[in-house]
Amino acid sequence: LLCDNGRMIILLSNDDGIQSEGLTALEKSLARLGDIYTVAPDRAQSSMSHALTLHRPLRVHELGPQRMAVELFRKGLTLTTGDAPLGRSLRHKLGTALFLSGDVRGAMEQFLETVRLAPPDGLDESTAKAKYSLGVLTASIGRGEQAIAHFQAAVTHQPTYVEARLGLADALRRD
């Protein structure tokens, strides 16, 4: 804690990751006391205090707008049912915000939940976007067959989805 003309500057850090519930709760509880600055890894890094970063250098990412987006999308989800079109749209957008803030696992969970809540008739924009996002993520980690399946499903859920068709073409070309 540092004082700067009566308003505290508070630095928070942990090894549980930037999206950890404890860190988020601490930020909220201290917000009224001053300006909060949080420095934390993008995912849990317990027991890493003696680790060396010889081949993977540390990088800093500012997460201000994405973190606020995550909170707002979560709040929006409390105001609608998850299987309604708005709920599925908010869930996909939450997944995107989580991905942009570094929480890939949380993003995958939201995309998969969006797909799970899809209407049975097959046509749905939010489901198509979630499947496209899953395709992008699985392609980025070298799972070509899974990526192809996700892109194909995205096109099935929204046949005019150009990005999904391009993603499918690229995944097929690479496989």
Side-chain angles (χ1 to χ4, degrees):
L1 300 175
L2 300 171
C3 277
D4 181 24
N5 296 331
R7 186 147 171 88
M8 285 190 270
I9 299 171
I10 303 168
L11 175 64
L12 299 177
S13 184
N14 76 358
D15 63 358
D16 295 327
I18 194 76
Q19 299 294 333
S20 72
E21 291 178 17
L23 189 59
T24 302
L26 189 57
E27 286 175 327
K28 287 180 182 177
S29 67
L30 295 174
R32 62 182 168 72
L33 299 177
D35 299 322
I36 308 290
Y37 294 89
T38 304
V39 178
D42 62 350
R43 59 190 168 279
Q45 295 289 318
S46 297
S47 303
M48 296 296 288
S49 62
H50 296 289
L52 298 176
T53 57
L54 299 175
H55 303 290
R56 289 180 33 208
L58 296 175
R59 291 185 169 74
V60 176
H61 302 281
E62 187 172 344
L63 300 179
Q66 289 85 4
R67 175 170 258 169
M68 184 179 292
V70 167
E71 290 176 23
L72 292 173
F73 289 130
R74 282 194 171 132
K75 183 172 180 129
L77 282 171
T78 66
L79 303 174
T80 184
T81 59
D83 60 346
L86 177 60
R88 290 191 311 278
S89 177
L90 288 172
R91 191 168 299 285
H92 173 262
K93 289 175 181 169
L94 171 59
T96 301
L98 287 168
F99 175 76
L100 291 172
S101 67
D103 185 0
V104 176
R105 191 181 84 197
M108 294 276 284
E109 289 171 2
Q110 294 304 317
F111 298 146
L112 289 168
E113 184 65 7
T114 302
V115 170
R116 189 187 71 75
L117 295 170
D121 68 7
L123 295 176
D124 183 63
E125 181 180 359
S126 295
T127 305
K129 288 180 177 182
K131 280 297 202 173
Y132 171 78
S133 297
L134 288 166
V136 170
L137 289 175
T138 54
S140 73
I141 57 174
R143 295 184 180 165
E145 289 182 24
Q146 288 180 348
I148 290 168
H150 288 305
F151 289 132
Q152 287 173 329
V155 170
T156 299
H157 286 285
Q158 188 178 358
T160 59
Y161 194 178
V162 174
E163 290 88 349
R165 288 183 177 277
L166 291 172
L168 176 59
D170 188 52
L172 287 167
R173 180 182 60 82
R174 292 174 188 262
D175 197 40

